[in-house]
Amino acid sequence: MTPALTQEKHYTIDDIYSLPEGSRAELIDGQIYYMAPPNRQHQTIAREFFSSINSYIKSKGDSCEAFFAPFAVFLDKDDKNYVEPDISVVCNPDKLTDKGCSGAPDWITEIVSSSSRRMDYYTKLSLYRSAGVREYWIVDPMKQTILVYDMEHDAAPAIYSFADSIKVNIYEDLWIDFRELDF
């Protein structure tokens, strides 16, 4: 007699929307990953980084829009992937709905916390690459590094420090100078 195989439960976006009020979670390949609340340093970095990006977009009259978490991103046409990146930049207004972004944002930034390290460096990198995100930044406050993936040009990742000025690849003239951010 062959032993029965246990079946792993696969969740959908409906399960995310059914979570109790105040719960934060992401759905990756049908699995739910709960998120711990961000600490103050994480929020300060997110605020300053977002402000810099948003100011640039507004000054250029650009069609792109920047969003900060919690902002719903439905990466695929299926109902098995739902993420809330720390910062998302979406340049195609057709992807924006009342619920969030339907499809891959052009640029995603995740700010690493001790509980999200493996997810941000590995799981989301693969997910974002396969979904068609053009650029992915991993900001790591503990290491004081920024890892930049220019996926649109299939370039090798570049590593920067919090003392660097970094070129944003999806724009011709946007540089983020981490020395000027107030955190």
Short mmCIF file of all heavy atoms in Angstrom, two decimals, residues 97-121:
data_model
loop_
_atom_site.label_atom_id
_atom_site.label_comp_id
_atom_site.label_asym_id
_atom_site.label_seq_id
_atom_site.Cartn_x
_atom_site.Cartn_y
_atom_site.Cartn_z
N THR A 97 -5.54 50.37 -11.12
CA THR A 97 -6.96 50.19 -10.88
C THR A 97 -7.29 50.75 -9.51
O THR A 97 -6.39 51.18 -8.78
CB THR A 97 -7.34 48.69 -10.91
OG1 THR A 97 -6.77 48.05 -9.76
CG2 THR A 97 -6.84 48.00 -12.18
N ASP A 98 -8.55 50.72 -9.15
CA ASP A 98 -8.94 51.17 -7.82
C ASP A 98 -8.31 50.31 -6.73
O ASP A 98 -8.12 50.76 -5.61
CB ASP A 98 -10.47 51.17 -7.66
CG ASP A 98 -11.12 52.29 -8.45
OD1 ASP A 98 -10.41 53.26 -8.82
OD2 ASP A 98 -12.33 52.21 -8.70
N LYS A 99 -7.98 49.07 -7.05
CA LYS A 99 -7.40 48.16 -6.06
C LYS A 99 -5.88 48.27 -5.95
O LYS A 99 -5.30 47.82 -4.98
CB LYS A 99 -7.78 46.71 -6.37
CG LYS A 99 -9.23 46.40 -6.11
CD LYS A 99 -9.48 44.92 -6.28
CE LYS A 99 -10.90 44.59 -5.84
NZ LYS A 99 -11.13 43.16 -5.84
N GLY A 100 -5.21 48.81 -6.98
CA GLY A 100 -3.76 48.91 -6.95
C GLY A 100 -3.18 48.82 -8.34
O GLY A 100 -3.65 49.46 -9.27
N CYS A 101 -2.17 47.98 -8.49
CA CYS A 101 -1.47 47.80 -9.76
C CYS A 101 -1.71 46.38 -10.27
O CYS A 101 -1.45 45.41 -9.56
CB CYS A 101 0.03 48.04 -9.58
SG CYS A 101 1.00 47.80 -11.08
N SER A 102 -2.19 46.28 -11.49
CA SER A 102 -2.43 44.99 -12.11
C SER A 102 -1.33 44.74 -13.14
O SER A 102 -1.39 45.25 -14.25
CB SER A 102 -3.81 44.98 -12.77
OG SER A 102 -4.09 43.72 -13.31
N GLY A 103 -0.33 44.00 -12.74
CA GLY A 103 0.85 43.75 -13.57
C GLY A 103 2.09 44.25 -12.85
O GLY A 103 2.01 44.75 -11.72
N ALA A 104 3.22 44.13 -13.49
CA ALA A 104 4.49 44.48 -12.85
C ALA A 104 4.72 45.99 -12.86
O ALA A 104 4.64 46.61 -13.91
CB ALA A 104 5.63 43.78 -13.57
N PRO A 105 5.04 46.58 -11.69
CA PRO A 105 5.50 47.96 -11.68
C PRO A 105 6.83 48.05 -12.43
O PRO A 105 7.52 47.05 -12.61
CB PRO A 105 5.70 48.27 -10.19
CG PRO A 105 4.81 47.30 -9.48
CD PRO A 105 4.86 46.06 -10.34
N ASP A 106 7.20 49.25 -12.83
CA ASP A 106 8.46 49.44 -13.54
C ASP A 106 9.65 49.36 -12.59
O ASP A 106 10.70 48.84 -12.96
CB ASP A 106 8.45 50.79 -14.25
CG ASP A 106 7.40 50.80 -15.34
OD1 ASP A 106 6.23 51.11 -15.05
OD2 ASP A 106 7.75 50.44 -16.47
N TRP A 107 9.47 49.88 -11.38
CA TRP A 107 10.56 49.92 -10.40
C TRP A 107 9.98 49.58 -9.04
O TRP A 107 8.99 50.16 -8.61
CB TRP A 107 11.19 51.31 -10.40
CG TRP A 107 12.28 51.57 -9.43
CD1 TRP A 107 13.07 50.67 -8.78
CD2 TRP A 107 12.72 52.87 -8.99
NE1 TRP A 107 13.98 51.32 -7.98
CE2 TRP A 107 13.78 52.67 -8.10
CE3 TRP A 107 12.32 54.18 -9.28
CZ2 TRP A 107 14.44 53.73 -7.47
CZ3 TRP A 107 12.97 55.22 -8.67
CH2 TRP A 107 14.04 54.99 -7.77
N ILE A 108 10.61 48.63 -8.37
CA ILE A 108 10.20 48.24 -7.02
C ILE A 108 11.40 48.38 -6.10
O ILE A 108 12.52 48.01 -6.45
CB ILE A 108 9.67 46.79 -6.97
CG1 ILE A 108 8.29 46.71 -7.64
CG2 ILE A 108 9.61 46.26 -5.54
CD1 ILE A 108 7.70 45.31 -7.67
N THR A 109 11.14 48.92 -4.90
CA THR A 109 12.16 48.98 -3.86
C THR A 109 11.62 48.28 -2.62
O THR A 109 10.49 48.54 -2.20
CB THR A 109 12.51 50.44 -3.51
OG1 THR A 109 13.04 51.06 -4.67
CG2 THR A 109 13.53 50.50 -2.40
N GLU A 110 12.42 47.39 -2.06
CA GLU A 110 12.10 46.74 -0.79
C GLU A 110 13.15 47.18 0.22
O GLU A 110 14.35 47.22 -0.10
CB GLU A 110 12.11 45.22 -0.91
CG GLU A 110 11.04 44.64 -1.81
CD GLU A 110 9.63 44.64 -1.22
OE1 GLU A 110 9.42 45.20 -0.12
OE2 GLU A 110 8.74 44.08 -1.87
N ILE A 111 12.70 47.51 1.41
CA ILE A 111 13.60 47.86 2.51
C ILE A 111 13.65 46.66 3.44
O ILE A 111 12.62 46.25 3.98
CB ILE A 111 13.12 49.14 3.23
CG1 ILE A 111 13.08 50.29 2.21
CG2 ILE A 111 14.03 49.46 4.41
CD1 ILE A 111 12.30 51.49 2.66
N VAL A 112 14.83 46.10 3.60
CA VAL A 112 15.01 44.85 4.33
C VAL A 112 14.84 45.05 5.83
O VAL A 112 15.36 46.01 6.40
CB VAL A 112 16.41 44.27 4.04
CG1 VAL A 112 16.66 42.99 4.83
CG2 VAL A 112 16.59 44.03 2.55
N SER A 113 14.13 44.13 6.44
CA SER A 113 14.09 44.04 7.91
C SER A 113 14.58 42.64 8.27
O SER A 113 14.71 41.78 7.39
CB SER A 113 12.67 44.29 8.43
OG SER A 113 11.80 43.29 7.96
N SER A 114 14.83 42.42 9.54
CA SER A 114 15.35 41.10 9.92
C SER A 114 14.38 39.98 9.55
O SER A 114 14.79 38.89 9.21
CB SER A 114 15.69 41.07 11.41
OG SER A 114 14.57 41.41 12.18
N SER A 115 13.08 40.27 9.58
CA SER A 115 12.10 39.22 9.27
C SER A 115 11.87 39.06 7.76
O SER A 115 11.27 38.07 7.34
CB SER A 115 10.77 39.53 9.97
OG SER A 115 10.23 40.74 9.48
N SER A 116 12.33 40.01 6.94
CA SER A 116 12.06 39.92 5.50
C SER A 116 13.30 39.63 4.66
O SER A 116 13.22 39.57 3.43
CB SER A 116 11.43 41.24 5.00
OG SER A 116 12.39 42.28 4.97
N ARG A 117 14.44 39.47 5.30
CA ARG A 117 15.72 39.35 4.60
C ARG A 117 15.69 38.29 3.49
O ARG A 117 15.98 38.57 2.33
CB ARG A 117 16.81 39.02 5.62
CG ARG A 117 18.20 38.88 5.02
CD ARG A 117 19.26 38.88 6.11
NE ARG A 117 19.27 40.13 6.85
CZ ARG A 117 19.77 41.27 6.38
NH1 ARG A 117 20.31 41.30 5.18
NH2 ARG A 117 19.74 42.38 7.09
N ARG A 118 15.36 37.07 3.82
CA ARG A 118 15.36 35.98 2.84
C ARG A 118 14.33 36.25 1.74
O ARG A 118 14.61 36.03 0.56
CB ARG A 118 15.06 34.65 3.54
CG ARG A 118 15.09 33.47 2.61
CD ARG A 118 15.03 32.16 3.40
NE ARG A 118 15.13 31.02 2.56
CZ ARG A 118 16.25 30.57 1.98
NH1 ARG A 118 17.38 31.19 2.18
NH2 ARG A 118 16.23 29.50 1.21
N MET A 119 13.18 36.76 2.12
CA MET A 119 12.12 37.05 1.15
C MET A 119 12.56 38.12 0.15
O MET A 119 12.39 37.97 -1.06
CB MET A 119 10.87 37.51 1.91
CG MET A 119 9.69 37.79 1.03
SD MET A 119 8.94 36.32 0.36
CE MET A 119 8.23 35.61 1.81
N ASP A 120 13.16 39.21 0.65
CA ASP A 120 13.54 40.32 -0.22
C ASP A 120 14.71 39.98 -1.14
O ASP A 120 14.73 40.35 -2.31
CB ASP A 120 13.90 41.56 0.61
CG ASP A 120 12.71 42.13 1.35
OD1 ASP A 120 11.56 41.89 0.92
OD2 ASP A 120 12.92 42.81 2.37
N TYR A 121 15.70 39.26 -0.61
CA TYR A 121 16.90 38.94 -1.39
C TYR A 121 16.71 37.79 -2.38
O TYR A 121 17.38 37.76 -3.40
CB TYR A 121 18.07 38.60 -0.46
CG TYR A 121 18.83 39.80 0.06
CD1 TYR A 121 18.59 40.29 1.33
CD2 TYR A 121 19.80 40.42 -0.73
CE1 TYR A 121 19.29 41.39 1.81
CE2 TYR A 121 20.51 41.52 -0.26
CZ TYR A 121 20.25 42.00 1.02
OH TYR A 121 20.95 43.08 1.49
#
